[in-house]
């Protein structure tokens, strides 16, 4: 029997891993922000011996367990000749997903032992097979983010609690404490698991008088392990509570008023996500085939059958525990916005599979253990085939919905930052001395940064700026070609400006999205070319700190919101500025005697995308500001003043009003 169990588990693992690893290098595509952020953290953990975070402070606060797991995977992956990146991280997730299937089998086996009068030996296999083939669980077993850890922790904790009660094993109680501590380091959605297991322990203690002493000892031992193992995390939470709770506070219902849903609406949304006929699932293509229920029809039938059985037998602890875990692990979604949010409540996949296992086991038991009259017994013996058909059909539909329907969605190009990942890899592969500019994304975007920070000898970050506000260029001719990579979907202005500056610039590479539209173009400024566009109003003002103003353009536009004065300053950089200067551009009425401010803008250059500390000697910078003019402004000539200042009070020029650079005629 033991040998058959091990063989069965190996077959189950093979199925689970097959669905989680097939085409893992391509599905899902790209490398989206959350994955690459954790990937960079994992790479830093691997390569920097001094970096051992208790909590990841970026991306609004992230639990660290997944980053440490991926650091280990990166070490193994690179040791075998592979490259760190999304494939390695998604293999890590697939392994966690497969372990979650095994943990579900173990938890279901303990439930069977708790209620042998109702559950057959088939129940663990049926529950684990349901989780192994559940598209909801498969989906997040193929993404390198941390929610996949929660169903593993939930199933493992339930198994260890029930096993500790049954066997009086100290190791099981210690393991329970480790599993619960792990859930706190895993994901914020798993923070509900320790209180849920406390309630589960209380249910068992009230029901099972015979094992109360064992449960008391085991509960105390598990609690001590949780406290001991989470002391570093608790210390961090107490020292930085705002950061520790930043993400939960941001998504809590009513916190940001991003949606109008309340707790009741959210609870109904999470109820409907298990009803495949209403198309009320998660709408985000990164998390789901938009609108599709978490379970297909073939899986929903045993799940709702199991819920009905659990409600019917709710006075028995095993059934009450499953309902408690289901509701509790859905709570992180119910009390937060954007319901239903599939990865926020992924921990509930474990009790969903166990409840589905109850339903499948009922069909199995009624057929195998039928005591009806012979004519009915023959019909009821077909019921085990119902379980088999439901599992098989559910698996086929899950695979089709994920690998055929979802994997071919054009929306995945943007949902998984496919274009950015391609750009990052292309930049990293360039020669180290290539001059590359990128607009409008920042070099610290993790999808881009991962590409060059993890590859020895790669090009490194390009010059990044937001071409909708600023444009840097070499003022004279250049001795080697320079590349401007423009994400056309986001920056609509650079492609209009480049022909004016460099008429002979050519497009040498294009990245289309999955609908055939241009995502990004690479423009090459040829060697020997000089910029052709000059300021409409030339000037020669030495401002200081390595900067001079060569002139400006001023253009008035009529918009629905009012009149806008566009002022583009032409800066020449003689030396890298020593400070991070804020620029102001003011329109001033000088006719009334004392100067009167009419409109103005104070901003870091390029709306903060290209601060002065990143300027390079020899550059000319076209730096644009938009001044919203008052509606009552009459026609006339008004003065333009510009200047720079720092938070500590330094000013260029020293005069508070700034440098008068000319006049603008308003009609």
């Amino acid at each position: 029997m033991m040998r058959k169990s091990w063989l069965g588990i190996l077959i189950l693992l093979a199925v689970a891993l097959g669905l989680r690893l097939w085409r893992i290098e391509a599905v899902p595509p790209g490398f989206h922000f959350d994955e690459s952020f954790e990937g960079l953290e994992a790479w830093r953990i691997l390569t920097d011996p001094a970096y051992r975070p208790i909590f990841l402070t970026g991306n609004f606060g992230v639990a660290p367990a997944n980053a440490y797991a991926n650091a280990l995977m990166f070490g193994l992956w690179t040791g075998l000749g592979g490259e760190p990146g999304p494939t390695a991280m998604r293999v890590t997730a697939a392994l966690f997903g497969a372990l979650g299937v095994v943990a579900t089998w173990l938890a279901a086996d303990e439930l069977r032992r708790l209620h042998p009068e109702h559950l057959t030996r088939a129940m663990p296999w049926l529950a684990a097979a349901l989780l192994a083939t559940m598209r909801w669980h498969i989906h997040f077993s193929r993404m390198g983010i941390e929610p996949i850890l929660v169903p593993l922790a939930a199933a493992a904790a339930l198994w260890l609690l029930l096993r500790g009660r049954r066997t009086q094993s100290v190791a099981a109680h210690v393991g329970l404490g480790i599993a619960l501590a792990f859930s706190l380091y895993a994901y914020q959605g798993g923070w509900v698991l320790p209180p849920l297991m406390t309630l589960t322990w209380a249910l068992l203690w009230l029901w099972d008088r015979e094992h109360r002493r064992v449960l008391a000892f085991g509960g105390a031992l598990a609690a001590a392990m949780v406290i001991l193992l989470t002391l570093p995390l608790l210390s961090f939470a107490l020292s930085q509570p705002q950061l520790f709770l930043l993400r939960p506070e941001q998504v809590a219902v009513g916190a940001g008023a991003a949606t109008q849903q309340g707790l009741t609406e959210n609870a109904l949304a999470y109820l409907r996500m298990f009803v495949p006929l209403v198309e009320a699932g998660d709408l985000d293509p990164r998390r789901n085939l938009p609108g599709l229920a978490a379970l297909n029809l073939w899986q929903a039938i045993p799940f709702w059958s199991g819920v009905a059985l659990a409600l019917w037998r709710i006075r028995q602890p095993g059934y009450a525990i499953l309902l408690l875990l289901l509701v509790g692990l859905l709570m992180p979604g119910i009390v937060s916005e954007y319901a239903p949010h599939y990865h926020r409540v992924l921990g509930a996949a474990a009790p969903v599979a166990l409840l589905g296992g109850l339903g499948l086991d009922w069909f199995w038991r009624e057929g195998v253990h039928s005591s009806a009259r012979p004519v009915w017994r023959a019909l009821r013996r077909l019921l085990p085939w119902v379980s088999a058909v439901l599992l098989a059909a559910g698996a086929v539909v899950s695979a089709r919905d994920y690998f055929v329907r979802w994997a071919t969605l054009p929306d995945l190009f943007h949902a998984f930052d496919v274009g950015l990942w391609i750009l990052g890899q292309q930049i990293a592969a360039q020669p180290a001395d290539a001059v590359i500019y990128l607009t409008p994304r920042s070099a610290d975007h993790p999808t881009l940064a991962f590409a060059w920070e993890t590859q020895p000898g790669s090009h490194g970050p390009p010059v990044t700026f937001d071409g909708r506000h600023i444009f840097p260029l070499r003022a004279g001719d250049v001795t080697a070609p320079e590349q401007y990579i423009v994400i056309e979907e986001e920056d609509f202005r650079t492609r209009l400006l480049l022909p004016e500056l460099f008429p002979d610039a050519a497009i040498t590479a294009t990245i289309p999205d999955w609908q055939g539209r241009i995502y990004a173009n690479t423009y090459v400024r040829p060697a020997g070319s000089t910029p052709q566009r000059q300021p409409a109003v030339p000037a020669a003002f030495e401002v200081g700190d390595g900067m001079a103003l060569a002139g400006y353009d001023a253009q008035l536009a009529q918009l629905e919101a009012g009149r806008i004065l566009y002022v583009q300053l032409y800066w020449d950089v003689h030396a890298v500025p020593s400070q991070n200067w804020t620029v102001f551009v003011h329109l001033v009425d000088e006719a009334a005697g004392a100067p009167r401010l009419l409109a103005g803008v104070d901003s870091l250059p390029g709306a903060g995308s290209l601060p002065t500390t990143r300027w390079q000697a020899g550059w000319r910078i076209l730096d644009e500001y938009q001044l919203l003019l008052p509606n009552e402004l009459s026609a006339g000539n008004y003065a333009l003043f510009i200047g720079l200042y720092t938070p500590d009070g330094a000013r260029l020029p020293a005069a508070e009003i700034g440098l008068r650079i000319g006049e603008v005629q308003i009609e």
Side-chain angles (χ1 to χ4, degrees), residues 9 18 43 55 61 67 73 81 98 103 136 139 141 154 181 202 273 281 330-331 338 377 441 526 541 550 554 602:
I9 289 174
W43 184 252
F55 192 74
M73 178 60 76
W136 180 26
H139 189 107
S141 297
M273 72 177 263
L330 289 174
M331 284 306 296
Y338 305 109
R377 190 181 305 153
R441 290 300 183 103
F541 296 107
D602 293 39

Side-chain angles (χ1 to χ4, degrees), residues 54 76 111 163 172 339 344 437 533 548 646:
I54 297 299
L76 294 171
L111 284 169
R163 180 175 176 80
R344 207 170 279 163
Y437 301 84
R533 176 170 166 170
T646 62

Side-chain angles (χ1 to χ4, degrees), residues 63-87:
N66 189 53
Y68 278 96
N70 279 300
L72 177 61
M73 178 60 76
F74 285 166
L76 294 171
W77 204 261
T78 54
L80 295 173
E83 293 184 353
T87 300

